[in-house]
Amino acid sequence: MSVNRHTTLSTLSLVVVLSILVSALAPAITSTALAQTTSESLHPRVLQFTPAPTEEHPLDAPIQITFDQPMDAPSVEAAFRIEPPVEGHFSWPLLHIVQFKPAVPLQRATRYVVTLEPTARSAAGVALREPVTFRFSTVGYLEVSTVQPAPGATEVATDAIVTVTFNRPVVPLSALEEQARLPQPLTFDPPLTGKGEWLNTSIYTFVPDLGFDPATTYRVRVSNLQDLTGGVLEEDFVWEFTTVMPAVVATDPPPDGVFVSIQPTIHVAFNQPMNRRAVEAAFRLQHSATGEIIPGRFEWKSEGIPRPRSSQDDSYYEEEGSQGAPIVGVETMMFTPEQALEFGTQYTASLPAGVPAARGTGRTAEDYTWSF
């Protein structure tokens, strides 16, 4: 009798414990089932699109779309649209990631629009809530941003440095110490030899071995170049500049000079080496009142002269003289009259336009006349 009562009590206790456990677990089981049902009924969303809107896309790289849940591959592929139209194939690295690989490279410097129609469904059969659209641009052309000397520049110094700046990196930063292996994109007409150097990934400079010829128009061409993204020049970039033309830069005596010796040596300084015979044939020293031409002898020196105090030209300093007077010009003609000049008399010296330089095809552009 006691045994049966004990058994009955044990059975009742077990029933009570099980009831308590079921009551405690029921909300959790219900919550899990509800969450699973809710997740499976959510509309799929696009989390990421590659390339990003501000990113230039390589021509042969795949387009990738990442969803927030596994997708139904056939419906996604059927819903995929791209304009301009592109043939290609799909791959699925993961159940929620699709890639579209173009069959041929995309068009360069082109804006594409990708659309996923709402017929794309998740693996659970739930469709997109609305169409999804993305835009991207492919890699553009490499371009020359700026050049120095500027296109059409004149009076360019013979020791100028040519600088070309591009719109995107052309050489890797790690390669700057290996200049000999880097591309040398410039050619010159007339031809030049010199040293080209990349200052950074997108700035190139060129220094001629012997400087530029004066009085010469150079035609420079940038060609055969590709940037680090595969962008190429759409066409060669060509520009011209002209180096300094021959000119008189200082004289001694200076214009309107007074108290000049009656046995002077007249100095005419030029900004570059000149055709000496042509200068001597063209130079005139005349009596201002009578027009008499004064004969004399010529000498030359390959250096300038101290700048006269009255000169206003600041263009052709070479060095500071021992007394601080700036030296002007690079070559000087000296003319000494065969006979003494008259006291208290004005004389006029002149060199007409069209006198050629020693190098290049340039000639003096203006008459140079002064009196003392």
Side-chain angles (χ1 to χ4, degrees), residues 45-368:
R45 294 185 303 115
V46 173
L47 298 181
Q48 186 179 27
F49 183 83
T50 303
T54 58
E55 176 185 0
E56 284 192 330
H57 191 57
L59 305 184
D60 57 355
I63 299 164
Q64 179 171 293
I65 304 173
T66 302
F67 298 90
D68 65 343
Q69 57 186 282
M71 299 295 291
D72 175 64
S75 68
V76 172
E77 295 173 11
F80 183 90
R81 303 284 184 272
I82 182 168
E83 291 291 338
V86 177
E87 295 292 332
H89 63 272
F90 296 92
S91 62
W92 290 81
L94 295 171
L95 295 178
H96 66 290
I97 297 177
V98 62
Q99 292 183 344
F100 175 77
K101 175 71 174 179
V104 295
L106 299 175
Q107 299 177 35
R108 185 177 298 278
T110 301
R111 187 75 164 167
Y112 284 90
V113 179
V114 173
T115 301
L116 275 181
E117 301 293 347
T119 52
R121 300 189 304 274
S122 68
V126 181
L128 289 175
R129 186 182 297 276
E130 58 187 4
V132 179
T133 300
F134 299 92
R135 293 171 175 83
F136 69 92
S137 296
T138 53
V139 171
Y141 290 98
L142 176 64
E143 297 177 1
V144 174
S145 299
T146 59
V147 294
Q148 288 292 334
T154 58
E155 299 298 312
V156 174
T158 56
D159 60 352
I161 298 174
V162 176
T163 303
V164 183
T165 303
F166 297 93
N167 66 332
R168 60 182 78 236
V170 177
V171 298
L173 186 63
S174 59
L176 293 181
E177 296 180 356
E178 301 178 357
Q179 293 286 339
R181 299 183 180 180
L182 299 181
Q184 305 295 315
L186 300 189
T187 55
F188 291 84
D189 183 20
L192 279 176
T193 60
K195 179 184 179 182
E197 181 179 6
W198 289 92
L199 299 185
N200 59 28
T201 60
S202 59
I203 298 179
Y204 177 82
T205 62
F206 180 87
V207 179
D209 289 333
L210 302 177
F212 293 104
D213 284 341
T216 301
T217 296
Y218 284 92
R219 184 176 178 88
V220 192
R221 180 181 300 272
V222 184
S223 60
N224 299 323
L225 202 59
Q226 179 174 301
D227 65 38
L228 295 180
T229 67
V232 297
L233 289 169
E234 185 173 13
E235 59 185 6
D236 291 355
F237 183 90
V238 181
W239 87 101
E240 294 182 349
F241 62 87
T242 302
T243 50
V244 60
M245 301 299 287
V248 175
V249 292
T251 62
D252 184 25
D256 300 321
V258 294
F259 304 116
V260 176
S261 169
I262 61 170
Q263 294 180 313
T265 295
I266 297 170
H267 293 72
V268 181
F270 297 90
N271 64 351
Q272 59 189 274
M274 299 294 294
N275 182 317
R276 295 181 177 184
R277 288 187 178 182
V279 173
E280 293 174 7
F283 178 79
R284 295 287 184 274
L285 178 64
Q286 296 176 275
H287 189 291
S288 297
T290 66
E292 176 190 1
I293 296 177
I294 310 300
R297 68 181 187 275
F298 293 94
E299 297 178 89
W300 290 81
K301 63 178 181 178
S302 298
E303 58 185 41
I305 62 175
R307 179 185 295 276
R309 290 178 180 272
S310 62
S311 176
Q312 300 300 313
D313 183 11
D314 294 328
S315 301
Y316 297 98
Y317 286 85
E318 281 193 347
E319 60 185 358
E320 291 291 324
S322 59
Q323 303 301 319
I327 301 300
V328 186
V330 299
E331 183 173 77
T332 302
M333 182 205 76
M334 295 171 290
F335 177 82
T336 304
E338 291 181 353
Q339 60 191 37
L341 304 182
E342 298 177 9
F343 286 105
T345 300
Q346 185 181 65
Y347 288 84
T348 299
S350 63
L351 190 70
V355 179
R359 299 165 60 189
T361 60
R363 296 173 178 267
T364 53
E366 299 177 351
D367 295 341
Y368 192 94

